[in-house]
C-alpha cells in the first residue's frame, strides 16, 4: 500500500499495518514513542511503537546541583564560544560564477590558498602557552604561592625556592612548544611555496601555491599535487580523460578517472581558452567529496553552449595527477576546499591521568586550607589571624609539590624515548610526548580499513564454473585451456576466438542447450573477465610522448612497461589474472578495447555501451562488438545478491558464494548474453530516449537496462582476496582479549567492508552480522533501530548515510545500542563522519578512544581521538605526521598498548603518588612541629634543606620509578587480560591516594615525635635527627614501592645517599656537625627510621602472601 509522507515529500512503500503512523501528526509525535529498552515490549503485537517509556528527563534536568557540579563550566564555555563566534563573524559559503582566466571578475573576496597548521602566531604564542599551563589548578596554585612571597609579611623562605622550579617548568614547556611550532611553520611554508604554471593572456607564468586565486587557469603536471579545487578543462591525453590519485582525500589507493569539459577539450590549442567567453557556475562549498553540481556555459557562440558538470569533471585539492598534463579553472581555495572542510582543527590533548592528578591536587589544597584553619583556630584567632592563616597556607604548600609537574613531564619524555628505542617496534615515533599514559587506558579502537588492516593488494584466488573449480595451485590448467582454444586452426582462419566461436553463435535464446566442453567454458569465462571492466592499460614511455597511433601501437604493447589503472583494485586484479593465463588487455580508449591472445593475435572490440557500477545496482555491464565476427555480446558482473535473479536457474551459485565468503574472498558473478543486431538497435533507441527524459531519468534508464538483464548465461564465479597486513588477526584477537572494543570506519563499499571484517576476524565466524538497512527518514530509522534491538550479540554494519539519519533523530539510542555490539563496521564514511563518531563515543561513554589510520582522510579522526596513531604506508605520511604516535605496521599496536601503554600508566601513577607522598610527609612533620611549638607559623626546614630534599637527596630514586615494571613484556603480551584492569583506573584513585595520605601522616608523625622525644638539649639536634631519618625513610619507601629492580635504581639509591652524606660537611648552618659524628645520633636516626618503615614492610609482605595482585601470580 502506498502512503504519502509529508515530511519527506516522496512516495514510499510501507506495510499496511504501519500506514496509520505515517501521517503528519504521528511523525511529529515520534518523540513520545521512544525506542524499546526492554524485551518485555516485544510480546505485544504492535510493538514497533508501543514500547516501554524511557525517561530521558534526567539528561535535561538542570538545577543548582548541576550548576555546582560542573554546570558553571558548561555555561562559561558556551558564553566563550558564543563570544568567539561573534568576533569571528564567519562568512556564509555561497554558490559562485567563475569566469575562465579572469579572477578580477569575481564578485566576492575568497580566502587565500595557503595551508596553515600552526596553533599560534608571534603575538599569541606566549599568552597561549601560559594559558594552556595555568588553566590547570596545579600550576595556577604554584603561581599564586610564588607571587605571595613578594609580600614581606607573608614571606616564609627564600624566593628562589618557589620561583626556580616554576620558572624551570615554564621554560621547558615553552621551548617544547616553540620547537613544535617551528616544525609546523616549516612544513606549511614548504607546501605553500610549491610552484605551479598559471596560464595568462601573455603565456605561462610561475605562481606559488599560496598565491593562486579563484578564476585562475592552472596547469598541473603528472605526479604533481592539485593545489586547489578545480574544474577539469583540458588534458594532454587524447582520450580527453585523465587518472588522479585520491589517497590523501578519501584514503583509497586506486586511481579515479576524470573527464575534461568537452567544449574546452575540443579547442585546437591551449591559448584558445582566452579567445572564448565562458564561465563556470559552481555550487556552494560542501563537505561531500563524492558529489558536485555545476554548469559550464560558453557565451560567445550562437546558441550558447551549456554543459552540466558533475563529480567526474572535478579535480579536488590534495589529489595527485597520475596521467598526462591537465589544465583546470580554480573554483574553491584555502578554507573552502573539500580537503580543508573535511579536516578538523587539532586540539591540545590532555591525558586522563593529568586530569585525575588535577582533581587530587584540588583535594590536597582543600586539606591544606582545612589544616591551616585548624592551626589558626587552635591559636584562638588572636592578632592578625587572617595573615597567619595565609602564612600557614604557604607553610603547608609542600603538600602540593611543584616537583610533581617536573617529574611527570620528565617521565613522559622518558617513556617516549623508551618507546622509540624498542627494537621490537622499529620506526615508531612519539610526536605528542604529553599523553603516553593514554595508551594504557583505551576502551575503544577506531580503525581505518584500506592500508591499515589490509595492504590494498588484490590477489585472484578462485575461479568456479559450477562443475569445476580452479584455485591458485591449478591456474596452469586454465592457462593450458586458453592456449588450446586459441591454437585450434579455426582461430587463425577467422580472427575470432576459436572454440568459443561456435557456442557464441548458438547462445541465442531460441537455440537448444548444448553441453560445452571445459575448454570452451573456461575460455568464455576468461574472455568475459578480460572484457567486462573499467580498466585502462597505461604505458610508461621514455620520451614522455603519448603512445603511437594506429598500427604502430602494437609495437608499444610490451609487457615490461604496462601498468593497469582502474577505480577499483578488484578489477585490476581480475585483468592481471587474465594476463597471467594468456589473454592480455593491451589497449583501451573511450570507444574500443584490444586483447592479445597467447599466439600474439590482437582481437579488437568496439565498446557500444557501458553501465558503471553503483552502490544501488551492485553490478556493472558492458556491450561490446567483436570487429572480426560482428558479434554483439552483453557482459555483466556483480555481487551475488544482485546477480542471482538475473542469471538462468542454477543450483550451485548461492552455496559457492557462501563458501568463498567464509574464506574471506570477495566474490563476483560473471554472466553474458548474446544479442542480434536488431535486438541491440531496439535497445539503443529506447536507452537514448530514456537518457534524454527530463523527469525520473534514473528510473527510466534503469528500467531499459533491466529489460536486457533477463535469463543471462552464468559463466563463472570469481574470488579475489584483499591481502591483510601482517599479523592482523592475532593483533585484533590480542586487543579484544584486552577488553578493547574495535570499530572499523571505512570509506569503502558495504560488501567489501563486511568481507574484510570477516577475513580479519574482526567479526568472529560464529557471530551474526546485522546489516543496517538504508534509511532516509525518521520513521524508517525508528523501525530499523527497533529491529536491531531484537538482535543479541551480533556485529553491526551501517552505512554513512543511514548513520547520519539516525544521529539526527536518535543519537543517544544508536550509540547505546552500538556500544553493546562486539564489533561495529561503518562503511561509506566521510572524513568528517569518522571524527563525529569518535566525539560521540567520547561524549556518551566517557571512555578513552584511540583512532588509527594511514591516509589523509583519517587525519580528522586521529586528531579528534584521545590518542591518535598514524601508520606510514602507501597513502603517504599525512596521517603519520598528524598523529600522536606513528608506527610502521598495524601489528605494532599490540606491543605499543599492552607493554608501553600499560607500563607508562602504572609508572606515572606510582610516580605521581610518591611525589605527593614526599610532599605530604614533610607537611605532616611541619604540622606536628607547629602544634607543639604554640602553633607558630615558622618553617621547620629552611633554605637549601627544602630545595635539597626535593632535588639531589630524593629526586633520582623517586624518578627511577619510571623504569619499574610489574611483569615482563612477554607476559604482558601473553596475558592481555592484565590490560583490562587498567581501564578501571585503580592504579591512581581516591582510594590509593587516601592510603598514601595515611602512610604520610603516620611516617611524618613518627619522624617528628621521635626526634622530639629522643633529642637531648639542643633544638638543632631535632632538625638533624628528623631530616636524616626523613631522607632515609624516602629511600627505603622507594625500595618498598619498586616491583622489579633495575641496575639504575640501585645506583640512584646509593648516589642519593652518598650526596646526602657528602653534603653534611657543608650544612653547618643547619646541623651541629660535632653531634652528627656521635653514636647517639646514629642509633636515634636508625630507631626512628625503623619504626616509620618496618610496619609498612610487614603489611606489604602479608598482603602479597594472602591477597596477591594478578600480576604477581604471573611473575612468580
Amino acid at each position: 500500500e502506498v502512503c504519502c509522507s509529508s515530511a519527506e515529500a516522496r512516495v514510499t512503500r510501507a506495510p499496511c499495518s504501519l500506514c496509520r503512523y505515517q501521517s503528519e501528526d504521528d511523525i511529529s509525535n515520534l518523540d513520545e514513542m521512544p525506542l524499546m529498552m526492554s524485551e518485555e515490549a516485544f510480546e505485544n503485537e504492535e510493538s514497533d511503537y508501543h514500547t516501554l517509556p524511557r525517561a530521558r528527563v534526567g539528561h535535561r534536568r538542570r538545577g543548582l546541583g548541576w550548576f555546582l557540579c560542573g554546570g558553571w563550566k558548561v555555561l562559561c564555555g558556551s558564553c566563550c564560544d558564543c563570544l568567539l563566534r561573534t568576533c569571528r563573524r564567519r562568512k556564509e559559503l555561497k554558490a559562485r560564477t567563475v569566469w575562465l582566466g579572469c579572477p578580477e571578475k569575481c564578485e566576492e573576496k575568497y580566502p587565500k590558498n595557503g595551508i596553515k597548521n600552526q596553533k599560534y602566531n608571534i603575538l599569541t604564542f606566549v599568552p597561549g602557552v601560559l594559558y594552556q599551563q595555568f588553566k590547570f589548578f596545579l600550576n595556577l596554585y604554584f603561581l599564586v604561592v610564588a607571587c605571595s612571597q613578594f609580600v614581606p609579611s607573608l614571606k616564609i623562605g627564600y624566593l628562589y625556592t618557589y620561583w626556580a622550579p616554576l620558572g624551570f617548568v615554564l621554560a621547558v614547556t615553552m621551548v617544547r612548544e616553540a620547537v613544535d611550532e617551528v616544525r609546523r611553520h616549516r612544513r606549511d611554508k614548504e607546501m605553500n611555496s610549491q610552484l605551479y604554471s598559471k596560464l595568462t593572456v601573455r603565456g605561462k607564468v610561475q605562481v606559488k601555491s599560496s598565491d593562486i586565486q579563484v578564476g585562475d587557469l592552472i596547469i598541473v603536471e603528472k605526479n604533481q599535487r592539485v593545489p586547489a579545487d578545480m574544474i577539469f578543462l583540458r588534458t594532454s591525453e587524447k582520450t580527453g580523460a585523465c587518472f588522479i590519485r585520491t589517497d590523501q582525500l578519501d584514503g583509497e589507493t586506486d586511481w579515479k578517472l576524470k573527464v575534461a569539459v568537452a567544449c574546452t577539450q575540443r579547442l585546437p590549442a591551449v591559448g584558445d581558452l582566452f579567445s572564448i567567453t565562458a564561465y563556470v557556475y559552481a555550487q556552494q562549498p560542501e563537505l561531500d567529496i563524492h558529489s558536485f553540481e555545476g554548469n559550464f556555459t560558453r557565451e560567445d557562440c550562437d546558441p550558447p553552449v551549456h554543459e552540466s558538470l558533475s563529480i567526474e569533471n572535478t579535480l579536488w585539492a590534495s589529489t595527485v595527477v597520475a596521467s598526462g598534463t591537465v589544465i583546470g579553472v580554480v573554483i574553491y581555495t584555502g578554507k573552502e576546499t573539500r580537503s580543508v572542510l573535511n579536516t578538523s582543527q587539532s586540539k591540545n590533548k590532555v591525558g586522563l591521568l593529568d586530569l585525575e592528578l588535577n582533581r587530587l591536587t584540588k583535594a590536597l589544597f582543600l586539606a591544606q586550607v582545612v589544616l591551616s584553619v585548624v592551626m589558626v583556630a587552635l591559636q584562638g584567632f588572636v592578632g592578625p589571624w587572617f595573615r597567619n592563616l595565609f602564612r600557614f597556607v604557604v607553610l603547608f604548600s609542600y603538600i602540593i609539590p611543584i616537583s610533581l609537574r617536573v617529574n611527570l613531564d620528565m617521565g613522559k619524555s622518558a617513556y617516549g624515548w623508551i618507546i622509540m628505542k624498542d627494537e621490537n617496534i622499529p620506526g615508531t615515533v612519539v610526536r605528542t610526548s604529553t599523553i603516553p599514559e593514554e595508551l594504557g587506558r583505551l576502551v575503544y579502537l577506531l580503525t581505518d580499513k584500506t592500508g591499515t588492516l589490509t595492504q590494498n593488494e588484490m590477489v585472484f584466488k578462485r575461479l568456479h564454473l559450477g562443475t569445476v573449480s580452479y584455485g591458485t595451485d591449478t591456474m596452469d590448467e586454465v592457462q593450458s585451456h586458453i592456449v588450446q582454444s586459441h591454437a585450434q586452426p579455426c582461430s587463425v582462419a577467422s580472427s575470432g576466438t576459436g572454440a568459443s566461436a561456435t557456442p557464441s553463435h548458438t547462445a541465442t535464446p531460441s537455440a537448444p542447450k548444448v553441453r560445452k566442453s571445459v575448454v570452451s567454458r573456461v575460455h568464455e569465462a576468461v574472455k568475459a573477465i578480460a572484457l567486462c571492466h573499467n580498466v585502462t592499460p597505461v604505458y610508461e614511455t621514455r620520451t614522455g610522448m603519448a603512445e603511437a597511433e594506429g598500427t604502430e601501437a602494437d609495437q608499444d604493447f610490451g609487457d615490461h612497461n604496462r601498468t593497469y589503472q582502474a577505480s577499483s583494485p578488484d578489477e585490476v586484479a581480475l585483468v592481471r589474472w587474465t594476463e597471467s593465463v594468456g589473454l592480455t588487455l593491451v589497449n583501451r580508449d573511450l570507444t574500443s578495447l584490444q586483447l592479445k591472445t597467447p599466439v600474439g593475435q590482437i582481437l579488437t572490440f568496439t565498446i557500444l555501451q557501458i553501465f558503471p557500477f553503483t552502490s544501488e545496482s551492485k553490478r556493472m555491464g558492458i556491450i561490446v562488438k567483436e570487429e572480426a565476427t560482428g558479434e554483439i555480446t552483453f557482459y555483466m558482473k556483480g555481487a551475488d545478491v544482485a546477480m542471482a535473479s538475473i542469471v538462468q536457474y542454477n543450483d550451485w551459485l548461492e552455496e559457492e558464494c557462501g563458501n568463498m565468503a567464509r574464506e574471506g574472498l570477495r566474490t563476483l558473478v560473471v554472466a553474458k548474453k548474446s544479442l542480434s543486431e536488431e535486438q541491440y538497435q531496439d535497445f539503443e533507441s529506447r536507452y537514448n530516449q530514456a537518457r534524454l527524459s527530463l523527469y525520473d531519468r534514473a528510473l527510466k534508464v534503469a528500467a531499459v537496462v533491466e529489460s536486457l538483464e533477463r535469463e543471462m548465461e552464468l559463466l563463472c564465479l570469481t574470488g579475489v582476496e584483499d591481502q591483510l597486513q601482517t599479523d592482523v588477526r592475532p593483533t585484533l584477537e590480542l586487543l579484544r582479549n584486552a577488553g578493547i572494543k574495535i570499530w572499523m570506519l571505512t570509506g569503502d563499499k558495504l560488501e567489501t567492508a563486511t568481507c574484510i571484517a570477516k577475513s580479519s576476524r574482526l567479526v568472529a565466524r560464529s557471530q551474526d552480522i546485522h546489516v543496517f538497512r538504508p534509511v532516509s527518514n525518521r520513521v524508517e530509522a525508528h523501525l530499523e533501530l527497533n529491529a536491531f534491538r531484537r538482535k543479541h550479540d551480533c556485529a553491526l554494519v551501517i552505512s554513512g548515510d543511514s548513520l547520519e539519519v539516525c544521529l539526527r533523530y536518535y543519537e543517544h539510542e544508536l550509540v547505546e545500542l552500538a556500544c553493546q555490539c562486539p564489533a561495529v563496521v561503518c562503511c561509506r564514511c566521510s572524513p568528517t563522519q569518522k571524527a563525529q563518531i569518535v566525539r560521540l563515543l567520547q561524549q556518551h561513554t566517557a571512555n578513552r578512544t584511540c583512532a588509527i589510520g594511514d591516509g589523509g582522510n583519517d587525519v580528522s579522526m586521529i586528531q579528534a581521538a584521545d590518542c591518535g596513531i598514524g601508520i606510514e604506508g602507501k597513502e603517504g605520511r599525512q596521517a603519520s605526521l598528524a598523529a600522536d604516535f606513528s608506527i610502521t605496521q598495524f601489528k605494532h599496536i599490540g606491543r605499543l598498548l599492552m607493554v608501553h601503554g600499560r607500563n607508562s600508566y602504572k609508572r606515572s601513577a606510582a610516580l605521581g603518588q610518591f611525589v605527593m607522598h614526599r610532599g605530604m610527609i614533610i607537611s605532616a612533620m611541619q604540622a606536628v612541629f607547629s602544634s607543639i611549638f604554640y602553633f607558630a607559623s615558622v618553617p621547620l626546614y629552611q633554605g637549601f634543606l627544602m630545595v635539597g630534599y626535593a632535588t639531589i637527596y630524593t629526586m633520582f630514586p623517586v624518578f627511577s620509578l619510571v623504569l619499574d615494571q610489574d611483569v615482563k613484556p612477554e607476559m604482558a603480551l601473553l596475558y592481555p587480560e592484565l590490560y583490562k584492569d587498567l581501564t578501571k583506573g585503580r592504579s591512581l584513585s581516591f582510594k590509593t591516594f587516601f592510603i598514601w595520605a595515611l602512610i604520610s601522616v603516620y611516617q611524618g608523625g613518627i619522624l617528628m615525635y621521635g626526634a622530639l622525644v629522643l633529642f637531648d638539649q639542643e633544638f638543632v639536634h631535632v632538625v638533624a635527627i628528623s631530616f636524616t631519618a626523613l631522607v632515609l625513610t624516602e629511600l627505603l619507601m622507594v625500595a618498598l614501592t619498586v616491583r622489579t629492580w633495575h641496575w639504575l635504581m640501585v645506583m640512584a639509591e646509593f648516589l642519593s645517599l652518598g650526596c646526602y652524606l657528602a653534603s653534611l660537611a657543608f650544612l653547618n648552618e643547619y646541623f651541629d656537625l660535632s653531634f652528627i659524628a656521635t653514636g647517639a645520633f646514629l642509633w636515634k636516626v636508625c630507631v626512628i627510621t625503623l619504626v616509620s618503615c618496618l610496619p609498612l614492610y610487614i603489611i606489604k609482605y602479608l598482603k602479597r602472601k594472602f591477597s596477591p595482585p594478578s600480576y604477581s601470580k604471573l611473575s612468580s
Side-chain angles (χ1 to χ4, degrees), residues 241-258:
C242 81
F243 282 105
I244 61 162
R245 294 199 295 269
T246 62
D247 46 16
Q248 292 304 320
L249 188 66
D250 60 11
E252 293 180 27
T253 50
D254 38 274
W255 293 9
K256 307 287 188 298
L257 189 71
K258 297 290 178 178

Side-chain angles (χ1 to χ4, degrees), residues 542-836:
R542 289 197 184 95
T543 56
M545 299 293 289
E547 295 161 10
E549 293 180 34
T551 54
E552 292 174 7
D554 298 359
Q555 298 159 12
D556 292 329
F557 295 156
D559 293 340
H560 59 281
N561 62 354
R562 184 193 309 110
T563 54
Y564 294 112
Q565 294 306 337
S567 59
S568 166
D570 300 55
E571 293 204 315
V572 175
L574 292 171
V575 173
R576 279 209 186 109
W577 175 76
T578 63
E579 180 185 2
S580 72
V581 296
L583 207 56
T584 309
L585 174 70
V586 289
N587 189 30
R588 183 190 184 127
D589 54 36
L590 295 175
T591 57
S592 69
L593 270 167
Q594 287 184 319
L595 301 179
K596 188 163 77 172
T597 66
V599 293
Q601 183 185 4
I602 300 293
L603 306 176
T604 304
F605 297 85
T606 305
I607 300 172
L608 301 177
Q609 299 290 350
I610 287 185
F611 314 111
F613 179 92
T614 63
S615 53
E616 289 79 33
S617 69
K618 295 183 174 57
R619 56 188 183 269
M620 71 88 56
I622 188 169
I623 301 178
V624 292
K625 181 177 184 179
E626 190 171 351
E627 282 193 0
T629 61
E631 286 177 14
I632 298 172
T633 314
F634 172 37
Y635 290 106
M636 178 163 276
K637 70 171 184 225
D640 55 305
V641 286
M643 297 291 288
S645 58
I646 291 170
V647 297
Q648 292 167 352
Y649 173 76
N650 62 84
D651 56 2
W652 60 271
L653 183 61
E654 188 179 347
E655 185 185 345
E656 287 305 325
C657 281
N659 292 340
M660 286 194 194
R662 277 187 286 278
E663 290 177 42
L665 300 181
R666 297 157 76 151
T667 55
L668 281 174
V669 180
V670 184
K672 78 161 194 176
K673 186 177 192 177
S674 294
L675 302 176
S676 64
E677 189 70 41
E678 296 77 28
Q679 282 176 316
Y680 175 70
Q681 292 300 335
D682 173 53
F683 165 78
E684 189 181 31
S685 64
R686 288 186 292 120
Y687 184 65
N688 290 338
Q689 194 176 344
R691 285 171 70 182
L692 290 171
S693 63
L694 296 173
Y695 304 105
D696 297 328
R697 182 185 297 179
L699 286 171
K700 288 178 182 175
V701 168
V704 174
V705 176
E706 277 176 24
S707 67
L708 271 190
E709 298 171 348
R710 288 176 191 156
E711 289 295 301
M712 294 189 74
E713 183 188 346
L714 174 59
L715 296 177
C716 65
L717 176 67
T718 64
V720 174
E721 181 184 51
D722 187 356
Q723 290 193 310
L724 297 171
Q725 293 276 6
T726 327
D727 291 338
V728 159
R729 286 170 187 161
T731 304
L732 290 177
E733 185 69 25
L734 178 83
L735 297 173
R736 254 201 308 273
N737 290 339
I740 296 172
K741 292 187 176 181
I742 303 155
W743 289 28
M744 185 167 85
L745 313 180
T746 176
D748 219 329
K749 300 190 291 286
L750 187 139
E751 292 80 13
T752 312
T754 310
C755 195
I756 295 301
K758 287 177 182 173
S759 63
S760 66
R761 304 286 187 273
L762 177 68
V763 176
R765 285 188 175 190
S766 57
Q767 249 169 19
D768 287 335
I769 294 180
H770 177 80
V771 179
F772 204 90
R773 285 192 305 110
V775 296
S776 56
N777 57 44
R778 189 171 192 165
V779 177
E780 289 176 1
H782 197 104
L783 295 173
E784 189 59 25
L785 280 168
N786 270 343
F788 175 44
R789 186 174 286 284
R790 292 191 181 94
K791 302 287 180 74
H792 291 284
D793 191 43
C794 70
L796 171 66
V797 178
I798 186 169
S799 69
D801 296 336
S802 301
L803 182 75
E804 202 169 318
V805 174
C806 291
L807 291 179
R808 194 181 307 147
Y809 302 116
Y810 300 112
E811 180 183 293
H812 184 83
E813 287 81 359
L814 178 70
V815 177
E816 190 179 343
L817 284 171
C819 288
Q820 292 166 9
C821 295
V824 176
V825 177
C826 299
C827 53
R828 285 292 175 205
C829 276
S830 68
T832 320
Q833 275 181 325
K834 289 184 177 185
Q836 187 186 5

